[in-house]
Amino acid sequence: MKVLVIGGGAREHALCRSLSQDPAVTELHCAPGNAGIAQVATVHQVDQSDGAQVTALARGLGAGLVVVGPEAPLVAGVADALRAAGVAVFGPSAEAARLEGSKAFAKEVMAAAGVPTARSYVCTTPAEAAEALDAFGAPYVVKDDGLAAGKGVVVTSDRDEALAHAAACGQVVIEEYLDGPEVSLFAITDGTTVLPLQPAQDFKRALDGDQGPNTGGMGAYSPLPWAPEGLVEEVLETVLQPTVDELRRRGTPFSGLLYAGLALTSRGTRVIEFNARFGDPETQVVLARLRTPLAGVLHASATGTLDQLEPLRWDEGAAVTVVIAAEGYPAAPRTGDPIEGLAEAEAADGTAYVLHAGTKAAGDGRVLSAGGRVLSVTATGAGLAEARERAYRAVERISLAGGQHRGDIALKAAQ
Ligand code: AMP
C-alpha cells in the first residue's frame, strides 16, 4: 500500500514512524512534512488545506490511503475532496469535523446524543457573556467557538479577564467549570464501528506544576495507572458510540479519529471537548504502545471495514513524550535556531527517539527550529518511571538556544 500523510508536526512524524514500520506500506509520502519526517518518508510541498492540490498529489502518487493529520485541512474539506475523487482517506468530512471546528455544534450533538458534558451557553454579546459568567460563578471557562489550535480557551477566576476574552473572540461558549483529572481517549471509527485506543494524559500549560499559559501541549504519557478500571468501556458506551451514532443518524457520518477530551469529575465523567483528529502530543505515546501495524487499522476506517479487524494489540509497558518548545512559545516563538544532539539523543535499541514538530533542514546538513513546538522526545519503558527517565535523558542531550521544556511530565503518575 502506498500511503500519503498530510501534515508536518510531531503527530505526523509519529504516524509516519509507525507507518514506516508496517510491512504492508510499500511507499510512504508526506506533505508538507518536516526535517524528521523527511528521514522516513518522501516529502512534498503542497498547501495542505487545498483539497484540489492534495487530491492531485494523492492521484499522482497512486496513494491507496491518505491520512489527514491536522484539523485545519479536515475543517476545510480536504477529506471530502479526496473521497469525491475515489481515494481512500482516513479523516472525517468537513461536516463531521465541525465536532471540533465549532464548540457550539459539539454541544448540540452531545445534547442530542445524551453525552455527559459541562452545562454551557453560547454567547455573542458582552451582556450575554456577563450573564452566563454570573450564572456559573468562578472559576470561569470561556471558549472561542471556532478553531484555535487548543489555545482559544481561558480558564480564570478573574471576571474581567473572562469578559475580555469573550469580547475578543466574538462568539464564545461559556460553561461550568469541571474539576478532576483530564484524560484523552482516542477512538478509530468508520462511522459505525468504534475502536477505542489506550487512554493518555497530556499537559496543556507551559510551565511545571500546571502554571503559565495554555499551549498546544507540552508532553504526554500512557497508560494512566490511576485511572478507574473500566473507564474505556464506560466512555465507549456513554460518549463515543452515542456520538458516532448521532452523526450517522444525521446523514453526516464521522469516519476517522474521534478524540474525546474528558474530565473525571466528582460527579462523573464529562466531555470537555471533541477533536476530529489524533491529538498532539498524546499520539506520540499512544502509537509508541500500539503493536498492531497501523496502516491496516487506518485503511479499515477509510473503507468501512473496522468490524472485520482483529482486536488491537498493545505493549504492556509505558511511553512518555516531552515537548521541547522554542523560546517565547506560546506567545511569540523564535525560529531559525540550530538544534544539536539529535542523533546522540536516540537510543540504539529504539527505546528513545526524537519526533520532529517545527523543524526544517538547512542546506548545510543542520536542522533549524521552525515553529513553536520544535521536538517531541519520546521514550518507552517497562513502566512510567523508566520511560520518563529515558525521555529526560534524551532531552538533556539536545541543545536548542532558548529552548524550554517541562520537567514534570508524568512525574506524579510515575510515583
Ligand atoms: P479545550 O480546548 O476545550 O480542550 O480546553 C483546553 C483546556 O482548558 C482543557 O484541557 C482544560 O484544561 C481546560 N478546560 C476546558 N474546559 C474546561 C471546563 N469546563 N472546566 C475546567 N477546565 C476546562
Side-chain angles (χ1 to χ4, degrees):
M1 193 189 327
K2 295 184 187 176
V3 183
L4 168 64
V5 175
I6 301 301
R11 161 186 51 215
E12 286 76 24
H13 194 178
L15 288 164
C16 283
R17 184 176 188 274
S18 292
L19 289 166
S20 73
Q21 294 170 345
D22 183 339
V25 177
T26 52
E27 265 181 44
L28 184 58
H29 299 267
C30 185
N34 60 35
I37 292 172
Q39 293 168 6
V40 292
T42 307
V43 297
H44 304 266
Q45 293 314 314
V46 295
D47 175 351
Q48 60 178 356
S49 289
D50 183 325
Q53 277 189 39
V54 172
T55 303
L57 175 63
R59 291 191 123 171
L61 294 169
L65 175 68
V66 178
V67 181
V68 183
E71 58 273 27
L74 293 168
V75 171
V78 167
D80 304 82
L82 287 159
R83 273 194 196 99
V87 180
V89 53
F90 180 80
S93 66
E95 266 300 312
R98 287 179 68 216
L99 216 44
E100 170 164 8
S102 166
K103 305 253 184 212
F105 176 73
K107 287 289 185 188
E108 194 245 303
V109 170
M110 282 190 267
V115 169
T117 185
R119 288 179 298 129
S120 64
Y121 296 107
V122 180
C123 306
T124 44
T125 67
E128 281 171 9
E131 200 178 319
L133 292 175
D134 294 337
F136 293 128
Y140 304 107
V141 182
V142 182
K143 302 186 172 188
D144 192 337
D145 185 35
L147 271 191
K151 287 171 259 177
V153 178
V154 164
V155 181
T156 178
S157 290
D158 180 340
R159 188 172 177 277
D160 291 335
E161 189 189 347
L163 276 174
H165 186 59
C169 293
Q171 177 153 301
V172 291
V173 172
I174 291 180
E175 63 181 37
E176 72 180 317
Y177 178 81
L178 299 174
D179 61 346
E182 289 179 29
V183 172
S184 301
L185 185 62
F186 301 167
I188 293 186
T189 175
D190 55 11
T192 304
T193 303
V194 182
L195 212 63
L197 305 185
Q198 289 286 312
Q201 188 173 50
D202 77 337
F203 293 76
K204 285 248 164 55
R205 301 288 188 127
L207 307 175
D208 281 15
D210 294 329
Q211 303 296 306
N214 258 327
T215 69
M218 295 298 289
Y221 68 92
S222 176
L224 314 179
W226 49 267
E229 214 179 305
L231 176 70
V232 173
E233 292 71 21
E234 180 209 326
V235 175
L236 175 61
E237 217 169 280
T238 62
V239 174
L240 299 166
Q241 191 71 57
T243 302
V244 166
D245 291 346
E246 173 63 18
L247 286 169
R248 191 179 62 248
R249 192 188 64 74
R250 292 174 182 222
T252 54
F254 186 104
S255 113
L257 193 293
L258 179 58
Y259 166 136
L262 306 160
L264 310 191
T265 78
S266 45
R267 285 177 295 137
T269 305
R270 300 277 185 279
V271 173
I272 294 180
E273 64 162 347
F274 281 128
N275 290 322
R277 37 78 197 174
F278 279 103
D280 185 347
E282 298 97 316
T283 300
Q284 287 86 305
V285 290
V286 171
L287 292 186
R289 298 185 54 222
L290 180 66
R291 287 286 152 269
T292 306
L294 184 60
V297 181
L298 304 185
H299 191 260
S301 158
T303 52
T305 54
L306 270 181
D307 60 337
Q308 292 161 34
L309 210 65
E310 302 272 313
L312 297 178
R313 286 177 288 113
W314 295 95
D315 190 313
E316 290 295 311
V320 170
T321 195
V322 179
V323 169
I324 299 180
E327 180 174 330
Y329 179 75
R334 188 178 77 191
T335 57
D337 287 305
I339 306 162
E340 268 146 39
L342 289 168
E344 293 78 358
E346 304 222 339
D349 63 0
T351 54
Y353 49 91
V354 182
L355 299 170
H356 291 224
T359 68
K360 70 167 191 228
D364 56 8
R366 290 184 311 161
V367 175
L368 304 179
S369 62
R373 291 188 292 173
V374 180
L375 302 169
S376 200
V377 181
T378 308
T380 55
L384 285 171
E386 187 176 48
R388 246 192 122 244
E389 192 191 299
R390 286 173 174 163
Y392 277 106
R393 201 184 308 149
V395 166
E396 295 315 323
R397 292 186 175 148
I398 295 171
S399 75
L400 166 67
Q404 41 162 333
H405 64 268
R406 280 182 60 158
D408 63 347
I409 303 301
L411 178 59
K412 260 191 249 156
Q415 280 163 355

